[in-house]
Amino acid sequence: VDNLNYYRSRLKPETKIMAMVKATSYGSGSFEIANVLQFHHVDYLAVAFTDEGVELRKSGITLPIMIMNPELMSFELMLNYKLEPEIYNFRLLNQLQDSLKKHEGDPFKIHIKVDTGMHRLGFGEEDINELVVRLNNNRHIKVQSIFSHLSSSDEAEHDGFTNMQIQRLRDMSNEISSNLTYPVMRHLLNSSGILRFNEAQFEMVRLGIGLYGFSSTANEQQHLQQVATLKTTISQIRHVAANETIGYNRKGKLKRD
């Protein structure tokens, strides 16, 4: 909560926060962390896979949840549990449209990911025209947000590239949203981006590892509290001679006693 409030203090009052609770909240416990975040009025949660979102819903979490890696066969499950998939290519969009052919009721909320330079996932600039046509021709779909992923917001030597990514998101999201009939949120900043590129908050930010007290710089780290510590016990200490090997396939070869 202290970490959440620290990042909140760096944001405009109207900027929304999407908190990352994927991978059991980085090992801290999915429901436990999500419940705290819900109590403290975070606006969105994000998980990696559909089953993580389903478990949160079954545990009583009512916040909007974005699924970052939607499986092709899980759209029906997302519909049933009101989960919102990230759509990053036409293959996923096609599968979603097939799943929605018999859908009645409110439009299904999705999040469009665009590639601004990280080159992992996302629609490219060359896809935007076709994407807009497809979105406008399907009344069953509503775009909640358009977003992208910063590759190196924590390293000053790449600030020029980060600023280019910010501008690309601005341009690509404008091209999409200007052709839709409703407002759409945008989000790009991660934990380090919130602190280093404050002017690019858009309508929402994604708070991830910083929420758990980890930062890439000492200056930022002093404001955070680590929420978890990994501890273990030593099972056995033994003395082994030089040139002996340790472990499977003799991978660990000792150069000294």
Side-chain angles (χ1 to χ4, degrees), residues 2 33 44 57 62 90 135 171 188 220 253-254:
D2 284 335
I33 299 297
Y44 253 91
R57 284 282 183 259
T62 59
F90 288 116
L135 293 173
D171 293 341
L188 177 65
E220 296 169 12
K253 186 170 183 179
L254 299 183

Side-chain angles (χ1 to χ4, degrees), residues 115-120 148-155 158 161-162 164-165 188 190 192 206:
D115 178 19
T116 57
M118 193 166 186
H119 299 321
R120 287 198 315 196
S148 192
H149 208 117
L150 292 176
S151 68
S152 42
S153 61
D154 54 342
E155 296 185 355
H158 299 300
F161 188 83
T162 300
M164 180 200 69
Q165 286 195 270
L188 177 65
N190 52 10
S192 57
R206 296 192 306 277

Side-chain angles (χ1 to χ4, degrees), residues 45-75:
L45 299 176
V47 296
F49 300 107
T50 305
D51 58 344
E52 294 176 287
V54 170
E55 288 304 311
L56 290 178
R57 284 282 183 259
K58 288 180 176 179
S59 300
I61 300 300
T62 59
L63 285 174
I65 300 175
M66 183 176 81
I67 308 297
M68 301 188 73
N69 296 289
E71 305 89 335
L72 288 175
M73 303 308 294
S74 65
F75 286 117

Side-chain angles (χ1 to χ4, degrees), residues 24-257:
T24 62
S25 297
Y26 299 94
S28 303
S30 295
F31 166 71
E32 293 82 358
I33 299 297
N35 198 40
V36 169
L37 294 171
Q38 181 168 270
F39 180 80
H40 287 277
H41 305 292
V42 162
D43 302 280
Y44 253 91
L45 299 176
V47 296
F49 300 107
T50 305
D51 58 344
E52 294 176 287
V54 170
E55 288 304 311
L56 290 178
R57 284 282 183 259
K58 288 180 176 179
S59 300
I61 300 300
T62 59
L63 285 174
I65 300 175
M66 183 176 81
I67 308 297
M68 301 188 73
N69 296 289
E71 305 89 335
L72 288 175
M73 303 308 294
S74 65
F75 286 117
E76 192 70 32
L77 207 55
M78 284 184 262
L79 271 170
N80 294 337
Y81 285 94
K82 291 184 169 56
L83 304 172
E84 304 172 11
E86 164 188 320
I87 302 296
Y88 52 82
N89 60 23
F90 288 116
R91 180 175 61 95
L92 271 175
L93 185 59
N94 291 338
Q95 181 71 29
L96 173 62
Q97 288 178 317
D98 288 342
S99 300
L100 292 175
K101 284 179 178 178
K102 298 179 182 179
H103 175 64
E104 298 296 337
D106 295 335
F108 186 46
K109 297 175 182 178
I110 66 171
H111 300 261
I112 297 293
K113 185 169 192 177
V114 295
D115 178 19
T116 57
M118 193 166 186
H119 299 321
R120 287 198 315 196
L121 302 174
F123 290 96
E125 292 174 308
E126 70 280 3
D127 299 321
I128 300 302
N129 288 337
E130 181 183 348
L131 177 61
V132 166
V133 171
R134 296 277 294 275
L135 293 173
N136 279 325
N137 287 339
N138 195 313
R139 62 183 177 84
H140 296 307
I141 292 174
K142 182 181 179 183
V143 179
Q144 283 293 95
S145 77
I146 301 166
F147 74 104
S148 192
H149 208 117
L150 292 176
S151 68
S152 42
S153 61
D154 54 342
E155 296 185 355
E157 64 181 294
H158 299 300
D159 282 359
F161 188 83
T162 300
N163 283 316
M164 180 200 69
Q165 286 195 270
I166 293 169
Q167 187 58 48
R168 278 185 178 175
L169 177 66
R170 189 174 281 117
D171 293 341
M172 295 171 78
S173 62
N174 285 344
E175 192 172 349
I176 297 171
S177 59
S178 64
N179 287 283
L180 300 176
T181 59
Y182 50 85
V184 177
M185 293 185 294
R186 299 163 296 172
H187 47 106
L188 177 65
L189 297 186
N190 52 10
S191 297
S192 57
I194 293 170
L195 302 179
R196 300 194 66 245
F197 296 89
N198 200 258
E199 72 286 353
Q201 294 179 26
F202 295 106
E203 290 75 35
M204 185 158 65
V205 298
R206 296 192 306 277
L207 182 53
I209 198 68
L211 183 63
Y212 302 88
F214 295 92
S215 172
S216 58
T217 68
N219 185 49
E220 296 169 12
Q221 189 67 61
Q222 65 180 332
H223 298 288
L224 303 175
Q225 297 185 47
Q226 292 188 8
V227 303
T229 304
L230 181 63
K231 297 183 179 181
T232 187
T233 55
I234 297 172
S235 300
Q236 184 179 11
I237 295 176
R238 59 190 310 147
H239 296 279
V240 184
N243 300 317
E244 291 285 344
T245 56
I246 299 172
Y248 285 118
N249 298 319
R250 309 188 69 201
K251 293 294 186 184
K253 186 170 183 179
L254 299 183
K255 295 180 179 180
R256 59 180 178 83
D257 289 348

